[in-house]
Amino acid sequence: MEGEKKPALLSRPSPSFRLRCASLNAVRLRRIFDLFDHNGDGEITVEELALALDRLGLGADLTDLRATIDGYIQPGHQGLAYEDFEKLHSALGEALFGQEVVGDDEAGVREEEDEDMEEAFKVFDEDGDGFISAAELQAVLAKLGLPEGKSMARVMEMICSVDRNHDGRVDFLEFKDMMRSIAVKSS
């Protein structure tokens, strides 16, 4: 794009901004899009993006945000369609981290995938005890503004759906199996 500016959204790059496993990254990016698309119309407006960033504690200046994403919004649209959001994500990733390198070594890819899943697991495991409790899951869902975060009964249903050893919480292996099944279903 002509006259592209460097993104002003992130002051400090996060190593988990772009997952190294393409299938997990695609699933994650789609989920982020759906979370940010507050009214479910298939587009993320600058206001919806600002609201989502605020809820995540990553508030951004609305003028900077608008300047960064306006070039990605297609003519006639009010916000970013999913394809536009993918392009923005890719551009931000390249600007912050350089070109994405994809390795051919399957063992290395699996190891990187596990590292990415560990990072994701830590987001939910707020107390660092190696388990995601119902309270921790509810807290994260509430921070994201998801309706499931308001109902402990719904949170318990979510836990039970992946809790193979029936201890009432999700360990890393259960989390990893759940994430892999999501990646396979969406491929």
Side-chain angles (χ1 to χ4, degrees):
M1 292 195 184
E2 291 183 47
E4 279 188 25
K5 281 176 55 173
K6 290 279 186 191
L9 296 178
L10 301 173
S11 58
R12 187 171 19 120
S14 164
S16 63
F17 176 77
R18 178 193 300 151
L19 297 177
R20 291 169 290 254
C21 175
S23 62
L24 284 177
N25 198 34
V27 169
R28 182 191 71 147
L29 192 61
R30 184 67 214 198
R31 286 186 166 211
I32 290 170
F33 180 86
D34 291 342
L35 288 172
F36 286 11
D37 181 14
H38 192 67
N39 64 1
D41 67 355
E43 292 184 356
I44 300 173
T45 63
V46 173
E47 292 75 17
E48 286 174 322
L49 187 56
L51 175 65
L53 291 172
D54 282 343
R55 285 182 173 164
L56 294 170
L58 303 170
D61 179 72
L62 201 56
T63 305
D64 287 342
L65 192 58
R66 188 174 306 282
T68 300
I69 71 166
D70 270 351
Y72 293 91
I73 297 174
Q74 298 300 314
H77 291 262
Q78 299 299 311
L80 296 166
Y82 180 71
E83 296 75 24
D84 306 325
F85 187 67
E86 283 181 308
K87 289 175 188 169
L88 173 63
H89 177 263
S90 178
L92 288 171
E94 288 172 15
L96 294 170
F97 304 108
Q99 285 293 106
E100 186 172 3
V101 178
V102 179
D104 291 333
D105 176 22
E106 189 161 325
V109 169
R110 179 68 70 186
E111 185 177 315
E112 289 177 354
E113 180 182 312
D114 285 347
E115 289 173 13
D116 289 335
M117 285 201 206
E118 285 176 27
E119 283 184 47
F121 183 80
K122 288 176 186 174
V123 169
F124 291 91
D125 182 18
E126 292 182 326
D127 66 6
D129 68 352
F131 299 96
I132 301 170
S133 68
E136 288 170 323
L137 179 58
Q138 185 177 33
V140 172
L141 295 173
K143 284 179 191 174
L144 293 172
L146 296 173
E148 292 88 346
K150 295 177 183 174
S151 167
M152 183 54 83
R154 178 67 185 119
V155 170
M156 290 304 297
E157 285 176 27
M158 293 169 76
I159 295 258
C160 288
S161 72
V162 297
D163 182 17
R164 293 196 175 145
N165 63 2
H166 308 291
D167 65 355
R169 52 194 186 168
V170 178
D171 62 35
F172 179 67
L173 292 176
E174 293 165 336
F175 179 80
K176 192 161 72 168
D177 288 343
M178 175 193 69
M179 293 302 291
R180 285 201 175 123
S181 72
I182 290 169
V184 167
K185 287 176 189 171
S186 69
S187 296

